[in-house]
Amino acid sequence: MRRVGLLDYGSGNLHSAARAFRNAGADVVVTSDQAVLLQQDGLVVPGVGAFAASMAGIAAVGGIDVIRRWAEAERPLFGICVGHQILFEAGHEHGTHTDGIGLYDGEVIGLDARRLPHMGWNTVVAPAGSALFSGLGDERFYFVHSYAALTGPADALVTTAEHEDARFVAAVERGHVSSTQFHPEKSGAAGARLIANWLQTS
């Protein structure tokens, strides 16, 4: 997989994500143009901020249709942080329910922890057979979030992490769709390896 499209819907981490995928060997285009995105080999949905605002931004550029068409065609898709969260059925923030894309079963809710946001480096527990975490052991990844899915789809490889006593979904791999709650583009050598794994195995 050489050509990667980053869906531009106003997310704040576009350029750092684009740089990370380029460093891993991909030719990256950052755009909201559906025709251009559909010409790429892989699609990346980045994200920072709130679930509802991200869904509104994605909807405004026609991204919901792009993501669903991409998934239906079984083409490589990767979501990051809120771009991971919006792949679930719904998100609940500040008492507001917002429908997600619905590629994964489950909902995103607030973490039950005293210290929020969960911000900084943390280890994860990846399942056997994970392609994303191939060659990665006890490395730490960089998280910034107060909300998460607590369970992943039953038909997927689900990686978990813990913040205080709250266990949550740190990554999902299901067919051609993968996503991470953490930011691989901010996770140093471990994140670079994970991105390279995605490019090589998708």
Side-chain angles (χ1 to χ4, degrees), residues 4-191:
V4 172
L6 263 69
L7 177 60
D8 183 1
Y9 62 94
S11 174
N13 68 329
L14 279 171
H15 297 296
S16 60
R19 183 165 54 251
F21 282 85
R22 289 188 182 109
N23 289 343
D27 297 323
V28 179
V29 59
V30 179
T31 183
S32 60
D33 188 313
Q34 296 186 36
V36 174
L37 288 170
L38 291 171
Q39 293 172 358
Q40 309 309 306
D41 302 318
L43 176 65
V44 176
V45 183
V48 294
F51 189 107
S54 293
M55 280 301 298
I58 291 169
V61 299
I64 293 175
D65 182 57
V66 170
I67 293 169
R68 286 181 174 156
R69 288 173 61 189
W70 201 278
E72 288 169 0
E74 297 186 346
R75 302 178 68 187
L77 170 67
F78 191 85
I80 298 173
C81 196
V82 182
H84 153 82
Q85 294 180 357
I86 57 92
L87 299 180
F88 287 85
E89 293 175 293
H92 298 269
E93 292 189 10
H94 310 296
T96 300
H97 172 102
T98 304
D99 289 337
I101 304 290
L103 300 187
Y104 301 153
D105 295 335
E107 298 187 344
V108 174
I109 64 173
L111 288 174
D112 184 12
R114 290 175 289 104
R115 293 179 292 111
L116 292 173
H118 169 219
M119 181 168 61
W121 299 85
N122 202 348
T123 56
V124 303
V125 179
S130 168
L132 279 184
F133 293 91
S134 176
L136 293 165
D138 296 327
E139 287 87 351
R140 294 175 177 268
F141 298 88
Y142 191 78
F143 291 84
V144 184
H145 64 115
S146 296
Y147 297 82
L150 304 187
T151 60
D155 59 347
L157 293 177
V158 178
T159 293
T160 61
E162 291 187 9
H163 173 54
E164 296 179 356
D165 294 327
R167 178 176 294 179
F168 61 90
V169 176
V172 175
E173 299 166 72
R174 191 181 72 178
H176 289 75
V177 181
S178 301
S179 59
T180 61
Q181 178 61 67
F182 56 82
H183 287 272
E185 78 280 7
K186 297 180 180 179
S187 296

